[in-house]
Amino acid sequence: MNNKSKFVIGDIQGCYKEFKNLLKLIDPNKENKFFCVGDLVNRGPESEKVVDYVLENKIKSVLGNHDLHLMAILAGVRKHNDKKDTMTKIISKNKSIEILDYFLNFPFAKVISNETKKTLVVHAGVLPTWSIEDVKAANEELTSSLKSNPEKFLDQMYGDRRKAISKSTNKKNRRRYLVNVFTRMRFITKENKLDLNTKIKKSPKQKYQPWFNYKHKTLKEIDSIVFGHWAALKGVTNNNKIKGVDLGCVWGGSLAAININDRSIITVDSQK
């Protein structure tokens, strides 16, 4: 493995042992750089250890839907769902402010450069009609709003807003739509309407296609897109420029990292 490679790690979701095993493979000498695709926490057994490691080692990530949910719980605008969530130990650590402050620095989208290649990292996806400037503008719109009033943003972000809306019409619904694009999207129509319910590989509604099946404007300006979120795909997109790295570790699959220079994938098996 070449020195000083850059990797993007898939959805960890509290799978701390697998995360540490993967780091031993991709960064044995602690000289490579890596970035996470979001959903650092929840559903897995050791979210609190993942968060501790992230804070102690200043790990960077884009925001995923589970990260936002943790932030909402820590901000006091949402309650921990003991039937679904596995973040009780994080809440009991009395580190709410420290964790929230650190996660507030995470973007919704990030362009990573390595040598001559540029890779866009997002948790769920981006709209096909967006240019890279549109992606950056949507990211800035959300992150500035989140940082300026975290409690308000986190309280209002929940909602199945599926249709695009202009900034001047309804800011709250527009933010919901953009959050859903970046952190929840799987299937869309050619008019950019989202199907937020279907989680399998194929939508029962023919007009909805995986977001990566469309021609993407961003790929005129960057080399590739890396995303997570969609474990059912097992990383398969049939598009060499759009790579999925959520291989369902928390569900018994594997935890993956992609080398953004040569697009090779390194995995470790789930210990579940």
Side-chain angles (χ1 to χ4, degrees):
M1 186 181 294
N2 293 330
N3 289 337
K4 297 183 180 178
S5 298
K6 285 186 179 179
F7 295 89
V8 178
I9 297 175
D11 302 40
I12 299 168
Q13 291 197 251
C15 296
Y16 179 70
K17 291 183 178 67
E18 293 87 341
F19 178 42
K20 289 301 296 294
N21 287 341
L22 184 61
L23 292 183
K24 289 176 185 176
L25 291 179
I26 68 173
D27 195 23
N29 300 317
K30 296 187 177 180
E31 59 190 6
N32 293 324
K33 292 185 178 181
F34 57 90
F35 194 84
C36 296
V37 82
D39 277 4
L40 302 172
V41 297
N42 213 10
R43 302 291 193 261
E46 296 181 306
S47 288
E48 72 286 352
K49 290 184 179 180
V50 173
V51 169
D52 282 345
Y53 190 90
V54 165
L55 266 59
E56 288 167 10
N57 294 275
K58 296 181 171 57
I59 307 300
K60 305 297 183 185
S61 178
V62 290
L63 287 166
N65 50 304
H66 286 292
D67 308 314
L68 287 169
H69 184 54
L70 170 62
M71 293 167 72
I73 294 170
L74 296 178
V77 299
R78 265 300 191 271
K79 290 185 177 180
H80 187 272
N81 184 334
D82 292 337
K83 291 183 179 179
K84 289 184 176 181
D85 299 328
T86 59
M87 300 182 289
T88 309
K89 290 182 180 179
I90 300 177
I91 301 165
S92 64
K93 276 182 170 291
N94 294 320
K95 284 187 177 181
S96 294
I97 295 175
E98 182 183 354
I99 297 168
L100 194 55
D101 283 350
Y102 191 80
F103 276 45
L104 282 171
N105 291 308
F106 290 166
F108 286 85
K110 175 74 174 177
V111 175
I112 297 177
S113 299
N114 193 36
E115 296 178 356
T116 60
K117 296 183 183 297
K118 290 184 177 180
T119 298
L120 173 63
V121 182
V122 288
H123 179 62
V126 291
L127 296 178
T129 52
W130 279 351
S131 66
I132 199 65
E133 288 306 314
D134 294 327
V135 174
K136 290 178 178 178
N139 174 68
E140 176 60 27
E141 187 178 336
L142 290 180
T143 53
S144 61
S145 178
L146 175 57
K147 288 179 181 178
S148 66
N149 194 331
E151 290 81 6
K152 181 179 178 181
F153 182 100
L154 294 165
D155 186 40
Q156 293 182 346
M157 70 178 177
Y158 292 87
D160 290 341
R161 179 73 198 183
R162 301 187 299 134
K163 293 182 181 179
I165 189 169
S166 68
K167 191 185 297 187
S168 60
T169 306
N170 186 314
K171 289 183 179 179
K172 181 171 72 173
N173 280 338
R174 178 174 166 80
R175 286 195 299 268
R176 283 176 175 168
Y177 176 75
L178 293 178
V179 167
N180 288 339
V181 168
F182 280 129
T183 69
R184 296 178 62 199
M185 177 172 67
R186 292 185 178 93
F187 295 97
I188 60 172
T189 67
K190 60 183 180 180
E191 293 83 19
N192 291 337
K193 185 178 180 181
L194 313 180
D195 172 4
L196 295 171
N197 296 318
T198 307
K199 298 183 179 182
I200 53 178
K201 294 181 186 178
K202 189 174 181 180
S203 173
K205 302 172 186 176
Q206 192 171 1
K207 65 179 181 178
Y208 287 95
Q209 294 295 319
W211 65 269
F212 50 78
N213 275 8
Y214 297 89
K215 188 175 181 180
H216 274 262
K217 199 172 180 180
T218 53
L219 291 174
K220 294 179 180 179
E221 304 163 88
I222 60 170
D223 298 283
S224 61
I225 302 171
V226 174
F227 72 102
H229 184 60
W230 201 343
L233 294 175
K234 297 181 180 178
V236 178
T237 62
N238 296 316
N239 187 330
N240 194 44
K241 291 192 172 185
I242 304 180
K243 295 290 189 178
V245 289
D246 181 4
L247 302 190
C249 184
V250 74
W251 309 116
S254 57
L255 184 62
I258 184 169
N259 185 323
I260 66 169
N261 195 39
D262 61 13
R263 297 178 192 164
S264 59
I265 304 281
I266 297 96
T267 65
V268 295
D269 291 337
S270 170
Q271 295 189 18
K272 188 170 182 178

